[in-house]
Amino acid sequence: MASRSASRTLARVAASAARSSLAARTMGAAPRFAARASAVSSIQQTRGIKTLNFGGSLEKVYERSDWPKQKVLDYFKNDTIAVLGYGPQGHGQGLNLRDNGLNVIVGVRKDGRSWKKAVAEGWVPGKNLFTIEEAADKGSIVLNLLSDAAQRDLWPTIKPFITPGKTLYFSHGFAITYKEQTHVEAPAGVDVVLCAPKGSGTTLRTLFLEGKGLNSSIAVFQDVSGKAHERVQALGVAIGSGYLYETTFAKEVYSDLYGERGVLMGAINGLFRAQYDVLRAQGHSPSEAFNETVEEATQSLYPLIGAKGMDWMYANCSVTAQRGALDWHQKFYDASLPVFKDLYESVKNGTESQRALDKNSQADYRESLEVELEEIRQAEIWRAGETVRSLRPENNKK
């Protein structure tokens, strides 16, 4: 198996990570950047703000040490932070802000599913749980974390409450970048900022509770006060980010939609299916096909890439695996590059955003989505995976 030596390495990496995990459960200590010895000299630090060498390009990053908890509390002591929406991002960011001691309220549709979920998680109607209009009115900083389609549909309702002097915050560049489709225009007299966690709100919350944090990108679209950049830094730390890097609204949404449809979700699903189907057609059992396609990737090899990079993963696999991967990766690159180019253009020209808005606006969207997910759920590859996962030692503890 390609990952026999990798498994031993992964065990050592996991043990080392466990020993060095962050002790803090909220803002914690600043995350460590594991830099190669040759890159250490490229780090310049001023009051905790670092300029790092990312593959030959210098970029600023901001860490939790730049905004210690008391500094954040003092900075927002006169603010009411209104979180609009209680989907994955509203849920994760809202709870993290609350746990960090900030004055935060939630705005959702009264008595709807999100309202009931918020109540179950400790938000109190009339105290820190309100309708969307009430929360938008009360907030000095308004976090618009509604779905992209809801941001379009509810903007006429929300806009009157985004008055001069407030800060309007997004976690996606979608509404502002595709304003011809969403009709969301930056109001005059307000700061407009973005902090986009690089992962789901559920993961943001889970890592926060473990004393860790997702990386997030930040951007300023409109700076009326002259303090929008420092404010979004503080907000980024307050929601539980591990570190922050700079982008623009357009670049954030282009890379986000491109990545989700590509390697992060769409492409990886397609590759898994194709490899599995060929193995099955050649007579391999479902358990063998799943193990050689998904289980080994997610449990052994991908964690090595996450720990120290692709070269580290290759270096800790068998010579036969190394040679095969090095010989074949260019063929996969050449085959997929045209698809990725087409995908990026589809994102940039608004085709993907319009498709998402049209689909998500349909009255039966949740029902039709469940049909699509059930089709995936019932595919042999994922039914086999359910059995494989049940056999993991950690799932058999008595």
Side-chain angles (χ1 to χ4, degrees):
M1 182 179 290
S3 62
R4 284 173 181 166
S5 59
S7 296
R8 293 192 291 272
T9 301
L10 179 58
R12 293 196 298 271
V13 171
S16 174
R19 288 192 296 270
S20 62
S21 62
L22 295 173
R25 291 187 57 82
T26 54
M27 293 195 178
R32 298 178 183 273
F33 287 84
R36 300 181 185 274
S38 62
V40 171
S41 61
S42 69
I43 301 176
Q44 304 168 8
Q45 185 168 355
T46 304
R47 298 190 308 276
I49 299 174
K50 292 184 175 73
T51 299
L52 301 182
N53 186 328
F54 288 85
S57 297
L58 297 180
E59 298 182 34
K60 280 185 179 180
V61 297
Y62 307 89
E63 300 182 85
R64 290 173 175 176
S65 58
D66 302 318
W67 288 90
K69 185 171 184 177
Q70 191 56 53
K71 180 179 178 181
V72 170
L73 292 174
D74 290 342
Y75 190 84
F76 293 118
K77 64 183 179 181
N78 296 320
D79 284 301
T80 297
I81 301 175
V83 175
L84 306 186
Y86 207 66
Q89 286 297 338
H91 163 264
Q93 295 189 37
L95 289 176
N96 290 355
L97 287 164
R98 188 178 73 181
D99 286 355
N100 272 331
L102 298 177
N103 180 25
V104 56
I105 61 176
V106 170
V108 292
R109 181 170 59 86
K110 188 173 183 179
D111 296 327
R113 184 169 60 176
S114 293
W115 179 281
K116 293 174 182 176
K117 181 180 179 181
V119 169
E121 293 183 335
W123 301 95
V124 180
K127 179 182 178 182
N128 53 21
L129 178 61
F130 300 93
T131 65
I132 290 173
E133 296 90 335
E134 290 171 329
D137 185 33
K138 293 176 181 293
S140 56
I141 301 173
V142 179
L143 278 56
N144 191 344
L145 302 181
L146 296 162
S147 70
D148 294 323
Q151 288 188 26
R152 177 197 61 183
D153 296 342
L154 293 177
W155 181 241
T157 300
I158 297 168
K159 184 178 179 180
F161 301 105
I162 311 301
T163 51
K166 290 190 175 186
T167 295
L168 178 60
Y169 165 115
F170 295 89
S171 279
H172 201 9
F174 192 105
I176 293 291
T177 302
Y178 298 116
K179 62 183 181 180
E180 292 81 7
Q181 297 171 352
T182 65
H183 309 295
V184 176
E185 298 269 2
V190 304
D191 290 347
V192 181
V193 302
L194 172 146
C195 179
K198 298 299 103 179
S200 75
T202 302
T203 307
L204 181 73
R205 178 61 177 167
T206 300
L207 293 179
F208 175 87
L209 292 174
E210 294 174 355
K212 304 175 184 178
L214 282 177
N215 307 328
S216 299
S217 59
I218 57 173
V220 174
F221 185 82
Q222 187 166 281
D223 185 3
V224 174
S225 69
K227 297 181 178 180
H229 200 277
E230 68 178 38
R231 187 172 296 117
V232 74
Q233 291 174 40
L235 285 166
V237 171
I239 67 167
S241 303
Y243 80 85
L244 309 167
Y245 64 92
E246 297 176 338
T247 186
T248 67
F249 273 62
K251 287 180 179 178
E252 188 282 328
V253 71
Y254 292 166
S255 61
D256 188 71
L257 268 61
Y258 174 75
E260 290 166 349
R261 286 151 180 76
V263 168
L264 298 179
M265 297 173 67
I268 198 65
N269 187 20
L271 287 171
F272 281 160
R273 286 177 54 209
Q275 177 164 309
Y276 181 91
D277 286 351
V278 169
L279 286 169
R280 290 290 287 126
Q282 293 297 321
H284 296 268
S285 68
S287 61
E288 183 170 56
F290 187 86
N291 270 286
E292 294 293 347
T293 299
V294 179
E295 190 75 352
E296 187 172 342
T298 60
Q299 301 302 299
S300 177
L301 300 179
Y302 292 174
L304 292 178
I305 299 172
K308 292 190 177 181
M310 186 69 72
D311 61 321
W312 172 254
M313 186 267 282
Y314 279 6
N316 286 281
C317 289
S318 69
V319 174
T320 303
Q322 293 167 355
R323 189 69 268 144
L326 290 168
D327 289 346
W328 274 87
H329 94 275
Q330 189 64 41
K331 294 181 181 180
F332 283 106
Y333 176 88
D334 293 340
S336 62
L337 185 60
V339 179
F340 280 105
K341 287 182 175 179
D342 288 346
L343 171 58
Y344 193 88
E345 181 58 31
S346 185
V347 168
K348 191 173 182 179
N349 66 26
T351 299
E352 295 302 312
S353 56
Q354 189 62 58
R355 182 184 292 118
L357 287 170
D358 291 344
K359 189 72 174 179
N360 296 348
S361 298
Q362 294 176 0
D364 64 345
Y365 173 70
R366 292 187 184 276
E367 291 77 11
S368 62
L369 172 64
E370 182 53 35
V371 171
E372 292 179 284
L373 296 181
E374 182 64 16
E375 183 178 346
I376 294 174
R377 195 177 297 122
Q378 293 303 320
E380 184 189 90
I381 179 175
W382 301 114
R383 287 188 288 113
E386 185 176 1
T387 303
V388 171
R389 289 191 296 275
S390 73
L391 293 171
R392 293 175 187 166
E394 65 270 24
N395 293 331
N396 279 289
K397 293 179 181 179
K398 295 182 179 179

